[in-house]
Amino acid sequence: MTLGRPIAPAAEENRSVRVGVDRNSPPLSFLDENGVLHGFTPELLASMAGVNGLRFEVVTASWKELSAAFEAGELDVLANITINDARRETMDFTIQHSYVHGITYTRPREHPLTHTSQFAGKRMASLHNSISDVDAVRHRGWGAEIVPYATWQEMLGAVVRGDCDFALIIRPLKFEQPDEMGLRRSFVEDIRYPFHMAVHRGDRRRLENLNEALATVRHNGTTDRLFAKWIGPIGPRPIRAVDLQPYLLPAAAVLAGVVLFMLWQRRINRTLQASEEKYRVLVDNTTEGIFVLQEHKFCFINPALLQMTGLRADQLLGRSIFDFIRPEEQATANTRQQELLEGARTASRLDYRAVLPDGRDLRLSVSSVRIDWRGRPATLSFATDVTAVRLAEQAREEAAQRLTKIADRVPGVVYQYRLRADGTTCFPYVSEGIRRIYGIDPGQVREDASPVYAALHPDDLDRVTESILVSAREFSPWHDEHRVVHRDGSVRWVRGNALPQKEPDGSVLWHGYIQDVTETKQAELALESERRRLADIINATNAATWEWNVQTGETKYNERWGSMLGYTPAELAPTTLDTWRSRIHPDDTAAAGMQAEEHLAGRRDHYECEVRLRHKAGHWIWVADTGQIIARDEHGRPLVMAGIHLDITERKQAEAAVRASLREKEALLKEVHHRVKNNLQVITSLLRLEAARHAEPQVKDVLREMQGRIRSMALLHETVYRADNVARVNLSIYLRQLTTQLFRAQNSPGERVRLKLDLTPVTVELDQAIPCGLIVNELVTNSLKHGFAGAQRGEVCVSLQPVGRGAVQLVVSDTGAGLPVDFDLEKTDSLGLRLVTDLARQIGGELQFAAGPSFMVTFTPRAVPRGSEPPFSTAV
C-alpha cells in the first residue's frame, strides 16, 4: 500500500482526510510507469482541497486492500464507489461526482450497439468479475448470452474472430490497451454507472464537508473540465476566438450590446442560478427516489428512482403508477391521491408493493404532498426502498412465531422473568410448559409472578427467593434446583437456569429455562442411597477399592487400600497403575497381567486373581484381586475398570496349614492301604496253600474264587497307594489292571480266549470302586470258567461308557456258550451272581442281562469333592 503526500496544507482540521484511491482504475485513477498517480480522481481531490479547510492524504492500493483498510477504520473515505444495498449498511455516500457509460465494441461493418434493447439474441464478451460483467449477470445479459474472459486482449480478440458479437466494458481501453484491434467503440445510452465517495456510516460532519466541496467545484466548472479531460466529452466543442475573426468588426456593436445585456442578466440571476444548481445537485444525487404524479401518471423522475427500480426513464414517464402497484393495494393508493389533491390531507405516507416488469417485488415507503406542476395540481413523492427492511421484519415475525411454537413444545418452560425497581415481579413471556409443570395459565403471571411463588415448596421458598436476589445484585447467572407443588398436589423437582439483564427503567430481566427433573432427581436420590448402602457394605467387609482409567493409566484407591499395606493416602499420592505394579510380587506379575489381558480382550467376563503385595513393613500379604470393566466408548473399547482387594493373608496361612495336615493324612492313608494290600496278599497266599492241601475239586474252586475276590481288593489298595489322591480312583485304570491279571491267572495256554477292553476314564470314590472291581471279577471269572468249554476260542469284553445325565454303564459280555434258555437271574442259586446283584445295589445300580451273554450295571458316580477333576475325562 502506497501512502501519498498531502495534496493541500492543513487548514482547520488537525488531521488529513485519508482517502483510498484504486491504483488501477483508469480513467478515474491509475499509476503510470513511474508510479505517479494520474486520472480524474486525484485532480478532483486537488481541486477540492482547501474548501472548508479540507486536506487529503491519498492512499493508493488495490481495491481489495482499500476495502479491507476501510473496514478496519484505517481510511476515512473511499473514492470512486457505486451504491448498493450491502454498502448502505456500513457507508454513507456523497453526491455524485462522475459517471461512466457502458461501452460496446463491435466489428466495423456491423451496426453499432447503443442501447441494451439491441443485445437480445447476441453473444456478449465481458471481462470476468468486472463491474460491467457483474451488472450484465444481474440483468441476465439484457437477453444476450454472456461469455466471460480473463483479459482485455482475450475479450476483444473474441469479437475480432467472430466468437462473440460484441464486447461490453465501462470505459475506453486507451489507458490499458492502446490497440483497440480496429473495433468500433460506441456509448450505451441506458448503461450509466454513477460514482460517489463513501464515508463510514454516521460520519455526518465529514460527509457534509465533502458534499460542500463537491458542489463548489461542480458550480465553478472544474468537474466538467476534468470529466471532459479524462472520461469523455460532455457536450459540443466550444467555439474558439479564431473561428470568429472574420466577423468581429461587423458584429462589434451587436456583441457589445449583447455583452452588456448578459452582464446585467447574469447579475440578476446569479443568486437564482446558484440556488437552482444546489437543488439540482440535491435532486440528482439524493438516494431517495423523487417523482411527480399528475393524473396518476409519472411526469418527473430523478436518477435515484431509476436506479431503485432498474427501469429506464422511457419505461416510467407517461405511465400510470397503477401499472406498477398490486391490484389489492390500488384502491388505497387512489384514495390517498384524491385526498391530497382535494386538500383533505396535507401529507400522506403509504407503503406500496410495486411489481416490476422483470417480476421483482419492490416495497417502497412513499411520502407525498400536493404541489402545482406547470399550473395544474400534482403530487410530489419521496420513495425509500424498504424491501430489505420489510423482508427482515417479516422474517423476524416468522422467526418469532416459529420460536413460540418451539418454546411451547419443549418439555420445560422458556420464560422471561422481571424484577421491577419497586420489588414486584412478573413473567413478561412464559411458554405453555408452565401449565404442565406448575398447573398455571401463562396469562396469570404476565403482570404478577405470585402464583409461581405460591407453587414453590414451603421448604424451598426462602432459598429460591434469596438466590434470585443474589443474581440481581451481582448480575450473575441464576441456577437452582427446587421443588414445586403442582395444582394436582404432586411434588415435582425442577431445575432452572437464567441470565440477568439490566433494563433502562432500573428493572432486571432474566432470560431462562426451567425443566422438570423429577425422574432424574429421584434417580439421583436413589443412586445416592445405593451409593451410601454400597459404601456401608464395603466398609463392613473391610474391602479396599480401586478404579483404573485404562486410557490414561490414572488409578484411584480408597483409604482402606493404603492402610491394608501400611500407608496413608498422602504417602501414596499421586496414584497410578505403577502404585500397584511396584508392590506386586515378581512371581505373581505374569499371572495377574494375563488375567487382566484376558478380561480386556473379552475372553473372560471378569478379572480375578490372587497376588502378593509388599507391605510397608517389608513383608508380603496375600490379596484377592477382583475387577470388571464398567465403562466403554462408542466403539466398545474399555475406558474404566473397577474392583476390590481383600486381604486373604490369614486364609492363605490357614490353607497352607490344611494342606500340610492333608499331606500328612494322605501319607498315613497310603501307608494304611499299603499294609491292607500286604495283608490281603498274605490272605491270598494262605488260601492258595489251603487249596493245595485239599483234594476235593469243589473246595479248591471255592478257595480259588475267594483268592480272586481278595486279589481284586488288594489290587485296588495298590492302585490307591500309587495314586496322587487317596479319596478317589480312576475306575478305567483299575479295571484294566484287574482284568489283565485275571486273564493271566485263569486263561488257558495259547490264550484261546482274548480280552477286549473299551473303558472311558471315570473317576469314582473308593467305596464305589471296590464293588465295581468285585462285580467285574465275578463276571469275568464266570465267563472264563463256564463260557468256553474244551478248546473253544472266543472273546471276553469289558466296557465302561457314559450313558447320559451323569450315569455310566459297566458291561461284561463274552462270545461263549451263553446262558441256559430258562435262565432267571432272580431264581439262580449261583453265589457269584447273587453277590454281583447285591454289589450293584450297593453302588446305586441294578444288574441286567441279555442274550450273548451280556451283563450290565448302570450307576451314577457319587459327587466328587470340589477342586478335583470331573467324573468323566478325556485323559487316558
Side-chain angles (χ1 to χ4, degrees), residues 761 872-876:
F872 302 114
S873 173
T874 57
V876 177

Side-chain angles (χ1 to χ4, degrees), residues 332-353:
T332 302
N334 182 58
T335 301
R336 289 291 180 89
Q337 285 283 319
Q338 291 301 120
E339 290 175 350
L340 285 172
L341 294 173
E342 295 171 0
R345 286 178 178 268
T346 58
S348 170
R349 185 175 185 87
L350 189 66
D351 282 3
Y352 291 103
R353 295 183 65 190

Side-chain angles (χ1 to χ4, degrees), residues 457-568:
H457 194 282
D459 295 343
D460 298 342
L461 177 59
D462 292 341
R463 181 178 53 78
V464 174
T465 303
E466 179 61 25
S467 68
I468 294 173
L469 293 177
V470 170
S471 176
R473 185 170 56 251
E474 300 177 357
F475 283 99
S476 58
W478 177 76
H479 307 287
D480 194 67
E481 281 188 0
H482 54 270
R483 288 163 290 179
V484 169
V485 180
H486 193 272
R487 183 170 294 175
D488 61 10
S490 61
V491 177
R492 303 183 182 185
W493 278 94
V494 299
R495 179 182 297 138
N497 298 276
L499 294 175
Q501 172 184 318
K502 186 70 173 178
E503 294 291 281
D505 61 359
S507 64
V508 180
L509 182 67
W510 283 266
H511 307 271
Y513 176 69
I514 291 176
Q515 63 183 125
D516 187 336
V517 294
T518 304
E519 293 184 1
T520 304
K521 195 66 178 180
Q522 290 173 345
E524 289 177 357
L525 294 174
L527 180 61
E528 181 61 28
S529 175
E530 184 66 20
R531 189 177 288 119
R532 287 195 299 268
R533 188 176 69 85
L534 181 60
D536 292 340
I537 293 174
I538 292 175
N539 291 333
T541 57
N542 205 24
T545 64
W546 54 268
E547 185 177 310
W548 172 38
N549 188 315
V550 181
Q551 303 297 323
T552 65
E554 180 185 3
T555 309
K556 298 178 182 178
Y557 305 95
N558 68 347
E559 188 174 352
R560 167 58 186 155
W561 195 91
S563 64
M564 185 171 64
L565 297 175
Y567 295 94
T568 64

Side-chain angles (χ1 to χ4, degrees), residues 283-312:
V283 171
D284 287 348
N285 292 280
T286 182
T287 57
E288 281 191 308
I290 301 175
F291 61 92
V292 175
L293 295 179
Q294 199 169 58
E295 296 179 354
H296 307 306
K297 295 182 179 180
F298 291 97
C299 54
F300 173 80
I301 52 177
N302 74 333
L305 186 66
L306 296 178
Q307 185 176 4
M308 193 178 297
T309 60
L311 301 176
R312 303 187 306 273

Side-chain angles (χ1 to χ4, degrees), residues 550-595:
V550 181
Q551 303 297 323
T552 65
E554 180 185 3
T555 309
K556 298 178 182 178
Y557 305 95
N558 68 347
E559 188 174 352
R560 167 58 186 155
W561 195 91
S563 64
M564 185 171 64
L565 297 175
Y567 295 94
T568 64
E571 290 176 310
L572 294 173
T575 55
T576 65
L577 189 60
D578 288 336
T579 307
W580 172 78
R581 284 176 174 165
S582 62
R583 289 166 174 80
I584 191 172
H585 195 285
D587 294 345
D588 300 338
T589 302
M594 183 181 67
Q595 293 286 339

